[in-house]
Amino acid sequence: MTQSRKILVWAMLAALAALVAYFGFRGYVSADMLFNIGNSFYC
Amino acid sequence: MDKPDWRTPGVVLACGSIILMLSLGIRQSFGLFLQPMSGELGWGRETFAFALALQNLVWGVAQPFAGMIADKFGAARVIVSAGVLYMLGLALMAYSETGLAFDISAGILVGLGLSGSAFGVVMGVVGRAFPSEKRSMALGAVGAGGSFGQFIMLPYGQLLISQFGWLNALLVLAASSFLIVPLASALVGRNAAAASSSQSMSEALREAAAHRGFWYLTASFLVCGFQTLFIMVHLPAYLTDKGMTPLEGMTALALIGLFNIVGSYLCGVLGGYLSKKYLLSWIYAIRGVAILAFVTLPLTPWSTWIFAAVIGFTWLGTVPLTNGLVAQIFGVRYLSTLFSIVFLGHQIGSFLGGWYGGYMFDLTGSYLTVWMVAVGLSVLAAVLCLPIDERELSTLPVRRPAV
């Protein structure tokens, strides 16, 4: 694999990781999650 | 001419990471089912909590046996059996209408599934696939896979519950867990270390039992289990009690998950260059300082998030270092067995952390005592790691009990 291709692969992986982290984080603070977690203390 | 083996170390690492991601991640989402299942089936919170506590115990007790079978007959067989048990457990969870049925499915079957598809067995294969100079990095990478699963499966589980209801969500998770079975084919292979060592399993166990460092590692790992499960189970309740909103609490949990991925990998990488016992000691010391600062300084969203980031960074960083230290001292032939015994200490700590947190809260109306116990245990674990003799036993001139 050439150097430029390696950089491209790593850049794509980094972008993918950032996307997953962003959507994962949004999932944690979604309305459904907060509602479920809030309710779990009262059941 | 023989075809080159497709099970290269990279493939073993990738498939091992995905297996850990699935097994640890799916389990992480179980707490989300508490409210909808308990509400619909008319269970109290303790019915659900007991099954999950049982799961932790079954996982811990069965893990050494899973490790022994993996070292003797091959890890892939154990992982395939575990994948099937995990899937069955999840599917039966969906149809459990009584507490007993839930104990059997979520507690026993999933616990057995975890024992064969989580750290001990998978890390044993990954540890053997890499030479000693790259082993710590590889263990860190596979640990980061597990951490990634823990981070991502919680919102994934919630998405499934919101879209399809809790019963169908469990069936989708069961189907997801079945992916463990085909992935195990990458972990088929002979234990190459067996060819170069004539040591029997009972000799290896006796050797480890006579090494004080083995017990220090087990004790420090017990502390790790105590702290992580206490924080995982009781932190949201603690924050809510202190007047923080669910949004702030969930942001803290997300930060723990996110920093856990980075911490697991970096701890593994650092373990390849620096002394693992000193790194472990630092991790426990940092945790102690972070907990002490968190409970004594004024509680704000930012103090909580900084605490979550620090704790997350050290969350599973102990796993590649502890596993790497076992491999470094005792060799890799019986790595799954020996690490699984150390891991039993972790699971006992997990059980104690979850239970003692609730018990002390009911008794005193506060978590302060448990936080202080967690700080004291941090100091103890940090000190216990220091005298461990990190030298490889086979290179020592005379095999003798070492500190």
Side-chain angles (χ1 to χ4, degrees), chain B residues 5-19:
Chain B
D5 190 0
W6 62 275
R7 298 177 187 93
T8 60
V11 171
V12 171
L13 179 63
C15 292
S17 298
I18 301 172
I19 290 171

Side-chain angles (χ1 to χ4, degrees), chain B residues 177-188:
Chain B
S177 72
F178 192 69
L179 282 174
I180 290 171
V181 173
L183 286 166
S185 60
L187 277 63
V188 173

Side-chain angles (χ1 to χ4, degrees), chain A residues 20 28-29 32 34 36 40-41, chain B residues 32 45 148 151 158 162 246 254:
Chain A
V20 170
Y28 272 81
V29 295
D32 283 339
L34 296 176
N36 192 352
S40 63
F41 294 114
Chain B
L32 297 172
R45 200 195 284 195
F148 179 73
F151 172 67
Q158 181 60 55
S162 304

Side-chain angles (χ1 to χ4, degrees), chain B residues 12-352:
Chain B
V12 171
L13 179 63
C15 292
S17 298
I18 301 172
I19 290 171
L20 266 191
M21 192 183 98
L22 288 166
S23 65
L24 295 177
I26 289 172
R27 165 188 170 265
Q28 191 81 355
S29 67
F30 283 175
L32 297 172
F33 292 87
L34 177 112
Q35 195 271 331
M37 283 188 82
S38 301
E40 197 168 317
L41 298 167
W43 295 344
R45 200 195 284 195
E46 69 280 5
T47 306
F48 200 95
F50 180 79
L52 295 196
L54 183 67
Q55 179 195 96
N56 271 299
L57 271 187
V58 170
W59 179 10
V61 171
Q63 176 98 58
F65 298 102
M68 284 179 198
I69 297 168
D71 282 337
K72 210 160 175 76
F73 301 107
R77 287 176 182 155
V78 175
I79 296 171
V80 166
S81 312
V84 171
L85 287 172
Y86 207 147
M87 186 200 65
L88 272 177
L90 283 162
L92 291 175
M93 270 172 77
Y95 297 104
S96 296
E97 290 183 353
T98 64
L100 180 65
F102 196 64
D103 290 342
I104 293 170
S105 57
I108 296 173
L109 288 176
V110 175
L112 288 173
L114 279 163
S115 70
S117 61
F119 295 119
V121 176
V122 173
M123 283 189 149
V125 183
V126 173
R128 278 191 285 267
F130 285 83
S132 58
E133 67 274 12
K134 287 187 179 170
R135 187 172 298 135
S136 190
M137 180 277 296
L139 292 173
V142 80
S147 304
F148 179 73
Q150 290 186 336
F151 172 67
I152 208 68
M153 283 294 186
L154 204 62
Y156 174 63
Q158 181 60 55
L159 184 74
L160 291 176
I161 293 171
S162 304
Q163 295 296 318
F164 308 117
W166 64 265
L167 192 147
N168 290 323
L170 279 172
L171 295 178
V172 174
L173 288 179
S176 307
S177 72
F178 192 69
L179 282 174
I180 290 171
V181 173
L183 286 166
S185 60
L187 277 63
V188 173
R190 290 188 52 215
N191 184 343
S196 59
S197 163
S198 58
Q199 193 181 37
S200 69
M201 187 174 284
S202 57
E203 284 169 348
L205 289 171
R206 272 199 299 274
E207 184 178 67
H211 194 288
R212 271 183 279 176
F214 184 76
W215 298 113
Y216 292 163
L217 264 184
T218 308
S220 63
F221 219 29
L222 186 147
V223 172
C224 179
F226 181 95
Q227 293 173 331
T228 50
L229 206 84
F230 166 65
I231 292 171
M232 194 171 88
V233 172
H234 297 284
L235 183 69
Y238 175 77
L239 295 176
T240 311
D241 291 345
K242 294 283 179 185
M244 299 193 75
T245 63
L247 176 66
E248 288 158 348
M250 286 312 291
T251 304
L253 286 190
L255 284 171
I256 290 177
L258 206 54
F259 277 83
N260 180 19
I261 302 169
V262 184
S264 296
Y265 180 66
L266 281 185
C267 286
V269 171
L270 287 174
Y273 298 100
L274 304 169
S275 158
K276 294 180 186 69
K277 68 172 182 178
Y278 290 130
L279 284 170
L280 276 173
S281 187
W282 271 108
I283 284 179
Y284 291 118
I286 289 168
R287 276 190 194 174
V289 172
I291 294 171
L292 191 63
F294 178 60
V295 292
T296 52
L297 295 175
L299 189 73
T300 65
W302 274 103
S303 75
T304 305
W305 297 334
I306 292 169
F307 168 74
V310 174
I311 287 293
F313 195 83
T314 61
W315 195 259
L316 283 190
T318 54
V319 176
L321 294 174
T322 304
N323 191 297
L325 207 45
V326 172
Q328 183 176 313
I329 299 171
F330 302 102
V332 292
R333 178 167 184 191
Y334 296 109
L335 180 56
S336 294
T337 305
L338 296 179
F339 179 71
S340 295
I341 294 170
V342 176
F343 190 74
L344 175 58
H346 188 280
Q347 289 311 95
I348 293 170
S350 294
F351 177 78
L352 291 174

Side-chain angles (χ1 to χ4, degrees), chain B residues 389 391-400:
Chain B
D389 186 342
R391 287 175 299 171
E392 187 184 339
L393 276 180
S394 62
T395 61
L396 293 178
V398 181
R399 290 206 170 196
R400 58 174 171 72

